[in-house]
Every structure is written in structure tokens, then in C-alpha cells.
Amino acid sequence: MSDQQEALTDVRTPELPDRDCPLCPRLAAFRATQRAAHPDWFNAPVPSFGDPTPALLIVGLAPGLRGANRTGRPFTGDYAGVLLYDTLARFGFARGTYAADPSDGLKFVDARITNAVRCLPPLNKPTGAEIATCRKFLTATIAEMPKLHAIVALGRIAHDSVVAALGARPKDAPFGHGAVHTLGRLRLYDSYHCSRYNTNTGVLTAGMFHDVFAAVRAELDGAQPARPASREVTSR
């Protein structure tokens, strides 16, 4: 394991998965295959990026093959990260230059990012059982954030996992792009996932994505948020 891999792994707490987490046999087997094929890649459960004290948590689906699974940092090295990190910088949640590399020096400002599923799933599709098994790590991440106020869920699976982690009922917080839900002390903002497919097909535009983070920024700054239009869907 490289120094970079060790440094990224060391940010985990005992409540989060270790490098050889065995809880999902299919994901563990796929991880072993990737380690054999790409021994210089991270190939482990990807930790959250950012310290535990911010007001904002962004929750994605799972590591991408050549993104976080390769680099060890969420949304780093794949197409989705370009729009995400540009947007975070635009609204003051990140500083520095995103260069698709964990050593690029990018820093979060009052924000943190994690995934609903920590390990790379085949074809980027975790099973329901894998999502449920990994949810305890999402719950632990949320619990260790004392100043957390807002969560942005990227896509339906991330939304559903956050709702379950918070002990809420799905019918009380239906997913829709631009939807905003109050769940206890937290506010949950929904967005379509910033995947290449969604942006290439126009399901998600940069403007739509910016609207979600503009609303979060306004709320955290104490301004009256301009709520983006909600578009309910079954996935994305």
C-alpha cells in the first residue's frame, strides 16, 4: 500500500469500514479483482473527504471505477467530479484548484462529502442488500458531525439511504430534483446525480445543479433560500 493510500485510510474511525471490509461478499470479491488488475489503485472502501465539523454533507452513490476507487477521494478522477467540485467552489464550499488528484490541494470550506456505499460496485450498481449493509457507515458519519445542518443527496439511492439513516419514512420525504425536506434538525436537499449520463442527456444541467447549491448557500448564510423547482422522479 502506498503512502497516499495509507494517509487516506488513516482518516477512518473505528465505526467506519477498514481497508478489507468483508461485509458485502460480492463487493469484496470485486475489490480483490481490481487489486489484482490495478495494484497501484486505492481499491478499498473510500473514506469521507473533509473534516467532521462542517454544516454541509454531500452524499453520493458509490465510488466510480476510475474515479474514487482509483484515487481514494470521493468524486475525484471521474467526470462527475468536474461539475461537483466546480459547483462547490462557485458557492464557497471549496477552495483551491480541482485537478482530479487527491494531492491537488483542494480544501473544503464548511463541507464534507461521502457515499452511500463505500466500495466500488460492479457496473456502478450496488444491490439493495449492499446499500442497506453499508448504511450503518453513513449513519455513523452523520452522527459524528455535531454542526451538521444540511445534506445534499445526489440521486435517488443516496436520498433513500439518507432518509433511512435518519430514521424517517420514505413517504414523508419523496425524492425530486430541487426538493427540500426537514428531517428533525436537518434539511435534506435533493439533486439528480451529476453523472456523465445525466448531464449529457440534459436530465441535469449545470444551472439546475447550481440552483440546489445556491439554495443551500442561502440557507446556511441565513438568507431566505430561493427554492429550486422540484421534479419528482423514480431514479437519477
Side-chain angles (χ1 to χ4, degrees):
M1 183 166 58
S2 69
D3 291 342
Q4 177 181 332
Q5 289 172 323
E6 288 179 353
L8 289 163
T9 301
D10 284 346
V11 304
R12 294 188 180 89
T13 69
E15 293 78 23
L16 299 182
D18 65 25
R19 181 168 175 77
D20 298 308
C21 180
L23 294 179
C24 300
R26 186 181 77 117
L27 300 190
F30 193 52
R31 183 172 66 223
T33 299
Q34 294 304 314
R35 286 180 180 178
H38 306 284
D40 56 331
W41 288 10
F42 187 74
N43 290 319
V46 175
S48 304
F49 175 42
D51 68 53
T53 60
L56 173 63
L57 177 67
I58 301 110
V59 180
L61 170 56
L65 175 62
R66 295 182 179 276
N69 180 68
R70 177 176 61 84
T71 64
R73 191 176 76 181
F75 288 88
T76 298
D78 56 17
Y79 182 85
V82 176
L83 176 57
L84 176 61
Y85 285 114
D86 175 76
T87 301
L88 292 174
R90 178 183 295 263
F91 292 99
F93 292 114
R95 63 173 180 265
T97 300
Y98 170 69
D101 188 306
S103 63
D104 57 16
L106 187 76
K107 302 292 184 183
F108 273 177
V109 181
D110 207 22
R112 192 183 196 193
I113 189 165
T114 194
N115 279 313
V117 176
R118 300 301 181 97
C119 290
L120 169 72
L123 302 177
N124 292 323
K125 293 181 179 179
T127 66
E130 290 161 353
I131 296 166
T133 296
C134 210
R135 188 171 297 128
K136 69 177 184 179
F137 302 122
L138 176 61
T139 302
T141 297
I142 293 171
E144 71 176 2
M145 299 179 69
K147 298 180 181 179
L148 183 63
H149 178 81
I151 298 175
V152 174
L154 303 180
R156 174 64 179 269
I157 290 176
H159 165 93
D160 288 349
S161 204
V162 169
V163 170
L166 295 176
R169 297 179 300 180
K171 69 176 184 177
D172 293 334
F175 174 77
H177 178 83
V180 185
H181 312 280
T182 300
L183 301 175
R185 68 179 180 88
L186 300 176
R187 296 272 279 172
L188 173 61
Y189 289 76
D190 291 338
S191 174
Y192 294 145
H193 195 284
C194 48
S195 66
R196 182 189 292 270
Y197 176 82
N198 281 349
T199 55
N200 281 355
T201 59
V203 168
L204 178 69
T205 66
M208 291 166 61
F209 201 57
H210 293 165
D211 284 347
V212 172
F213 284 89
V216 175
R217 179 79 276 168
E219 180 162 338
L220 294 182
D221 287 347
Q224 183 65 34
R227 184 166 175 169
S230 173
R231 306 184 186 191
E232 292 191 21
V233 294
T234 57
S235 58
R236 305 299 185 190

